[in-house]
Amino acid sequence: MKLVRKAMDLLHIQYPVIQAGMAGGITTPKLVAEVSNAGGLGTIGAGYMSASALKNDIQEVKKLTKKPFAVNLFALNLESFSTDSTPMQQFLNTYRAELDLKEGKEAVKVNDHLQEKLQVILEEGIKIVSTAFGALSASWMEKLKTANTQVIGMATNLQEARQLVETGYDIIVAQGMEAGGHRGTFDIEKYPEGCNIGLYTLVQELLEHLTIPIIAAGGIYTRQQLAGLLTLGASGVQIGTRFLLAREAGTNAAYRNALLHAGTADTVITKAFSGRPARAIRNRFITDMENCGVKTEPFPIQNELTKDIRAAAKEYALSDLQSLWAGQGVGCLHKVESAKAIVYDMVGKRR
């Protein structure tokens, strides 16, 4: 249990429970603060945020908690531009017509704010950063280390984990194929559907080859799973889907309802919404994309192309046109509860 204690000491948390940094408005300041106040580690999902939005959220969280919290970033460069998305835009225009939206533009640009967000993190004195989709550059790692920042990296195989360790990461999150949303797979060309290794096998392999703390992620929602993973040698767990149902989360009503009624076999890995493999509850949009015969654009262009449709679907409470990210444990989640209640239940603490 030495590594468990080491991880908790590094993160300054009471319980080995981390709330996943789910991007897209889910990780409200209230959710992040409540998880941290309960003794876990709350995380701002800043993947798609601008630097100014991140700064605002950090300052709001600070008003709600004096405990440590993390910021999660995409480690890759999102800067992208496309003028060749006409076939996909034409297909997506059928949904835009239903939603009374303007037709999609032929040229699409995605801006990258990674360096600006890292600067905000340093300016705001954030002491825990987690990343997905790769490793930060040596120069930024040096700056974070100089500021005594603990850095957590997501890995879906041993090669990725070793790369993170060599870069200087302090803790590795082993993301099993059961995990909801986008997993951290570095090379999507090599692993078109993401690297699909089951959680327990992945945790065991990383423990055999690495000496730093390993956090388990993917389909985790019970204290029995936490206890089993700690016995295996993991230093804690990272939970996403169960926190989607927290009262404090930014999950919209249609999304919540879909989560509450989904079965264990209802999730699939899809590139339909973002161009990058992610686990979601199957809906009409996913099925239509599988059968339309139009090639999905790469990430993050596809994500930008579908953004207006997903936003309108949220506004109109249409779950069939939203990205309903969820892990394989979703079929066992049937209630909305507070973030504090989730943390306490995971560790067997009475409220």
Side-chain angles (χ1 to χ4, degrees):
M1 300 292 284
K2 287 184 179 179
L3 284 177
V4 178
R5 187 72 263 164
K6 179 179 179 180
M8 292 170 67
D9 287 346
L10 286 172
L11 302 175
H12 298 284
I13 56 177
Q14 186 177 358
Y15 304 120
V17 176
I18 298 174
Q19 165 245 311
M22 298 167 283
I26 297 298
T27 59
T28 64
K30 182 70 171 174
L31 173 65
V32 174
E34 285 300 297
V35 173
S36 289
N37 283 333
L41 181 68
T43 308
I44 297 174
Y48 300 118
M49 281 185 182
S50 65
S52 60
L54 174 58
K55 189 179 187 71
N56 181 73
D57 269 25
I58 288 173
Q59 293 178 349
E60 287 300 310
V61 175
K62 285 180 177 178
K63 293 176 184 177
L64 299 171
T65 185
K66 300 302 181 185
K67 300 285 186 69
F69 60 93
V71 173
N72 178 259
L73 304 167
F74 299 153
L76 50 71
N77 179 8
L78 289 186
E79 188 102 30
S80 191
F81 182 74
S82 175
T83 57
D84 192 27
S85 303
T86 301
M88 179 55 65
Q89 286 287 44
Q90 289 177 341
F91 174 73
L92 293 175
N93 282 339
T94 61
Y95 298 110
R96 295 188 177 105
E98 290 181 32
L99 299 167
D100 197 27
L101 298 173
K102 294 180 180 178
E103 291 191 350
K105 297 179 180 179
E106 187 172 309
V108 180
K109 183 177 182 180
V110 179
N111 295 313
D112 183 62
H113 304 283
L114 178 58
Q115 295 196 40
E116 290 91 339
K117 286 186 283 192
L118 283 164
Q119 192 60 46
V120 166
I121 285 168
L122 292 173
E123 290 170 358
E124 292 292 326
I126 298 302
K127 296 303 180 184
I128 307 167
V129 171
S130 62
T131 69
F133 307 159
L136 291 172
S137 68
S139 60
W140 274 110
M141 283 296 292
E142 183 179 356
K143 291 176 183 178
L144 291 170
K145 291 299 181 181
T146 300
N148 296 315
T149 306
Q150 305 301 321
V151 190
I152 305 171
M154 317 298 169
T156 59
N157 58 48
L158 179 59
Q159 181 182 11
E160 293 169 354
R162 280 177 164 157
Q163 184 178 336
L164 292 168
V165 172
E166 290 168 3
T167 307
Y169 280 69
D170 302 286
I171 296 173
I172 303 298
V173 173
Q175 288 187 305
M177 64 180 292
E178 302 91 338
H182 298 96
R183 278 161 296 126
T185 301
F186 292 12
D187 189 347
I188 297 303
E189 289 188 10
K190 184 176 181 180
Y191 302 103
E193 299 303 312
C195 187
N196 291 314
I197 301 174
L199 175 62
Y200 285 82
T201 300
L202 179 60
V203 169
Q204 187 67 60
E205 183 175 30
L206 298 194
L207 287 169
E208 288 177 4
H209 292 88
L210 306 177
T211 58
I212 67 172
I214 305 299
I215 303 295
I220 300 167
Y221 58 94
T222 69
R223 78 187 71 161
Q224 290 83 2
Q225 289 172 300
L226 171 57
L229 285 158
L230 291 178
T231 300
L232 186 64
S235 295
V237 296
Q238 179 174 282
I239 298 171
T241 307
R242 189 171 179 185
F243 280 117
L244 287 172
L245 288 169
R247 291 192 185 95
E248 300 88 349
T251 318
N252 66 75
Y255 189 177
R256 285 182 190 270
N257 189 59
L259 291 166
L260 289 168
H261 292 90
T264 303
D266 289 344
T267 67
V268 294
I269 295 176
T270 181
K271 296 181 182 178
F273 297 101
S274 70
R276 186 179 178 93
R279 186 175 294 280
I281 298 168
R282 178 178 286 281
N283 60 8
R284 172 192 162 197
F285 190 90
I286 293 173
T287 300
D288 286 353
M289 284 292 294
E290 289 175 349
N291 298 323
C292 72
V294 180
K295 185 180 179 181
T296 303
E297 295 293 314
F299 179 83
I301 294 297
Q302 182 74 11
N303 190 73
E304 187 69 18
L305 295 178
T306 65
K307 185 162 69 172
D308 60 334
I309 295 168
R310 290 180 282 120
K314 292 177 185 177
E315 184 179 344
Y316 296 135
L318 300 174
S319 61
D320 255 351
L321 299 181
Q322 293 188 46
S323 48
L324 306 173
W325 307 135
Q328 285 187 332
V330 67
C332 301
L333 301 175
H334 303 297
K335 64 179 179 180
V336 174
E337 52 194 335
S338 70
K340 180 179 179 180
I342 293 171
V343 174
Y344 281 9
D345 182 62
M346 286 298 302
V347 298
K349 179 180 171 67
R350 292 186 179 182
R351 290 175 235 176

